[in-house]
Amino acid sequence: MSSPLPPNLRLLLVDDEENILRSLNRILRKEPYEVVTAASGEAALAILAEQRIDMVISDARMPGMDGPTLLSAIRRQWPWCIRILLTGYTDMNSTIKAINDGKIYRYISKPWDDEELKMVIHQAFAYQYSERRRLKLEKLTRQQNQELQTLNASLEDKVTARTAELEQVASTLESAYGELRRHYVTTTEVFSSLITQRLPKDLQPNTRVIALVKAFARQQQLDEELSRDLAMAAALYNLGKLGWSDEMIRAPSDRLSKTQSHLYRNYPEESEQLLMALEPMQGAARLIRHHQERWNGRGFPDQLEGDAIPLGAQILKLAVDLTELQCGLILSRKVPRDDALKLLERQSERLYDPSLSSAFIAMCERLGPDIDPLAAEVLTLTTAELAPGMVLARNLYAASGMLLLNEGKELSRILIQKLITFERGEPDNTRYRLYIHRPDDTEEPS
């Protein structure tokens, strides 16, 4: 079954013999296309100039313009028009000329077979239709490809611009987040100084615990996040003790009653719970929760054992135990520093990771009581020796234990004057000692 043809097709028959045209008309009168006739090549060209013709079937031999010449002219001016040559067996030269110059679709020999003629015409129209669809699709494809290339170029530019914008926003957010976390460290140290106000000056451990963990973090080259969490945990590890009575908060842990001991074992968890709502504090809160765990698994609150205890919590425990032994908050007597270090060494493998405690004790023995690992890079100055632009290398605390200025603070003339005023108001003629980063071109004062 032949495929249907598109509507409104026109076939032009060209022959100088009237009876041939009538015969062809009669054969094709029921076909689904319009038939137009012309008696010469010149007449055919005139028709083509005025109306759309889809196919031309031309006799080879005609007076004036012959068939091959006509089809060649049609090819040059209307190349989409299908061209078929109607020729006799003796017109081989004309056929060859039509094939070479007119690029004809086919030639039909006289006398023709009616059914074959109709089939050839139908196939030619179907071929023309499929070619037109192919060319149209190719044109559409080229157009869409061009639009896609333009769109891709535009998208690439937009993606590049948007990526740069997002990178800038991410960088800004990262910087702001880092600054926020640094502010949290300073804020925790302020709260730490408030907590210690409930203790006599000689029983205030936080400042020394902070100095110890910071020094050890620098020596061990811990990453920035863990170092920051450690500093905050050292400042707030005893936050859960705020609800205790003054008597209990000052009592050594080995002298607590059974009820008090129960409260004591709960303080790491309570400290964690007070901090967990603050997202930047969650790392520090986890270290605080586990800083009373023991290497042998008999600590609290979760009885973690060995490497299951977070590294930061192990470091915090070493710093807390060393400091609180000296303050008299663990044993009923204050343990001298050297004896406290020996106690830590004896308790290795039971309370502490042996290798970690060994490194911690070695640091304390090497650096001495002041825990100042940057001695060669730090100046120790009085308030009278300060100058604008100097930067604090360590936190500055008042005689009461209140944090006055945090590490990294740049001093201004107004700030220096305020420090001098505060210093005059301190009891017992207390004088501040400030640790200042040594500028490259600054000599230590004589």
Side-chain angles (χ1 to χ4, degrees):
M1 181 177 179
S2 58
S3 57
L5 299 178
N8 304 320
L9 294 174
R10 284 197 185 94
L11 167 63
L12 173 60
L13 302 173
V14 185
D15 201 303
D16 62 313
E17 296 184 31
E18 185 67 26
N19 61 322
I20 297 294
L21 292 177
R22 283 199 300 271
S23 176
L24 290 170
N25 253 321
R26 184 178 63 256
I27 295 169
L28 304 175
R29 68 178 181 273
K30 294 183 179 180
E31 294 302 303
Y33 40 81
E34 181 183 350
V35 177
V36 183
T37 59
S40 65
E42 293 81 3
L45 292 177
I47 292 172
L48 281 161
E50 293 180 358
Q51 55 184 292
R52 179 184 58 79
I53 298 296
D54 300 290
M55 185 186 303
V56 174
I57 299 178
S58 175
D59 187 24
R61 292 190 175 186
M62 295 184 296
M65 182 182 295
D66 63 9
T69 303
L70 169 64
L71 297 182
S72 179
I74 293 173
R75 180 183 71 82
R76 291 191 298 272
Q77 197 164 353
W78 298 280
W80 63 86
C81 184
I82 295 288
R83 299 168 297 282
I84 296 177
L85 185 67
L86 195 61
T87 180
Y89 290 113
T90 59
D91 295 330
M92 187 54 63
N93 290 335
S94 297
T95 303
I96 292 172
K97 181 180 178 182
I99 292 172
N100 292 336
D101 296 340
K103 306 294 181 185
I104 63 173
Y105 172 76
R106 281 194 58 172
Y107 68 88
I108 299 175
S109 301
K110 294 179 181 178
W112 62 81
D113 178 89
D114 292 351
E115 294 302 320
E116 181 183 359
L117 174 66
K118 288 191 285 186
M119 184 184 68
V120 167
I121 294 173
H122 189 96
Q123 289 175 345
F125 273 134
Y127 167 77
Q128 182 188 59
Y129 176 64
S130 65
E131 276 296 289
R132 286 177 175 174
R133 283 178 58 90
R134 181 183 67 80
L135 293 173
K136 185 176 180 180
L137 288 173
E138 285 182 356
K139 181 179 179 181
L140 178 62
T141 301
R142 287 194 299 272
Q143 179 183 347
Q144 290 176 340
N145 284 340
Q146 183 61 44
E147 291 174 354
L148 185 59
Q149 289 175 2
T150 303
L151 180 60
N152 283 341
S154 174
L155 283 175
E156 287 177 3
D157 292 341
K158 290 179 179 178
V159 169
T160 300
R162 184 59 175 163
T163 300
E165 180 183 343
L166 290 175
E167 287 176 350
Q168 183 178 2
V169 170
S171 176
T172 301
L173 287 175
E174 183 66 25
S175 176
Y177 188 66
E179 186 65 24
L180 177 62
R181 295 198 69 128
R182 285 190 290 274
H183 286 320
Y184 262 93
V185 174
T186 302
T187 303
T188 57
E189 293 177 359
V190 172
F191 277 111
S192 173
S193 66
L194 293 174
I195 294 170
T196 58
Q197 297 305 299
R198 294 191 58 192
L199 292 168
K201 186 177 180 181
D202 61 338
L203 296 181
Q204 296 175 357
N206 295 71
T207 302
R208 281 180 278 178
V209 173
I210 293 169
L212 281 166
V213 299
K214 284 185 175 180
F216 194 63
R218 284 191 291 262
Q219 178 191 290
Q220 297 294 308
Q221 298 181 336
L222 302 182
D223 64 66
E224 181 182 353
E225 183 176 4
L226 178 54
S227 298
R228 185 172 54 241
D229 287 343
L230 254 176
M232 292 191 291
L236 297 176
Y237 78 91
N238 51 12
L239 185 63
K241 298 178 182 179
L242 283 177
W244 294 0
S245 66
D246 288 344
E247 176 190 2
M248 180 175 171
I249 206 170
R250 299 180 185 207
S253 57
D254 72 338
R255 289 297 182 91
L256 298 177
S257 67
K258 185 175 180 180
T259 301
Q260 289 174 332
S261 294
H262 177 73
L263 291 174
Y264 180 81
R265 295 176 67 88
N266 285 337
Y267 91 85
E269 283 185 272
E270 292 180 359
S271 299
E272 179 197 34
Q273 291 168 4
L274 289 169
L275 297 173
M276 284 303 292
L278 302 173
E279 192 276 333
M281 298 294 297
Q282 290 179 7
R286 178 170 175 265
L287 302 185
I288 292 172
R289 176 184 181 89
H290 297 299
H291 82 279
Q292 288 291 359
E293 304 286 358
R294 295 180 178 180
W295 189 250
N296 63 6
R298 296 184 179 180
F300 56 90
D302 299 314
Q303 292 78 52
L304 299 184
E305 181 178 357
D307 290 330
I309 306 169
L311 174 61
Q314 296 182 48
I315 296 171
L316 181 59
K317 179 170 180 58
L318 284 163
V320 168
D321 285 359
L322 176 61
T323 303
E324 292 193 349
L325 279 168
Q326 295 175 79
C327 292
L329 293 174
I330 295 178
L331 303 178
S332 56
R333 60 184 177 86
K334 293 183 179 181
V335 180
R337 183 176 184 276
D338 291 343
D339 291 343
L341 288 172
K342 290 177 182 177
L343 274 174
L344 262 59
E345 187 174 8
R346 285 201 298 269
Q347 294 298 333
S348 291
E349 297 186 12
R350 191 173 79 87
L351 303 184
Y352 319 111
D353 175 355
S355 60
L356 189 69
S357 62
S358 176
F360 181 82
I361 293 167
M363 179 200 73
C364 294
E365 291 175 342
R366 185 177 68 258
L367 297 178
D370 288 334
I371 306 298
D372 191 356
L374 302 175
E377 304 171 17
V378 172
L379 302 175
T380 305
L381 305 179
T382 65
T383 53
E385 295 172 313
L386 300 177
M390 290 182 172
V391 178
L392 279 180
R394 288 170 59 178
N395 292 342
L396 174 65
Y397 294 88
S400 63
M402 178 71 69
L403 178 66
L404 296 178
L405 294 174
N406 60 289
E407 175 186 340
K409 185 69 174 179
E410 182 176 341
L411 301 178
S412 64
R413 191 172 303 279
I414 294 175
L415 202 51
I416 293 171
Q417 189 57 51
K418 285 184 178 180
L419 286 177
I420 294 172
T421 302
F422 289 157
E423 187 179 49
R424 288 172 184 164
E426 291 284 10
D428 302 324
N429 294 318
T430 299
R431 292 293 173 261
Y432 297 149
R433 183 172 63 168
L434 294 94
Y435 295 88
I436 304 295
H437 285 290
R438 183 194 300 272
D440 294 337
D441 58 350
T442 300
E443 295 293 333
E444 185 171 354
S446 58

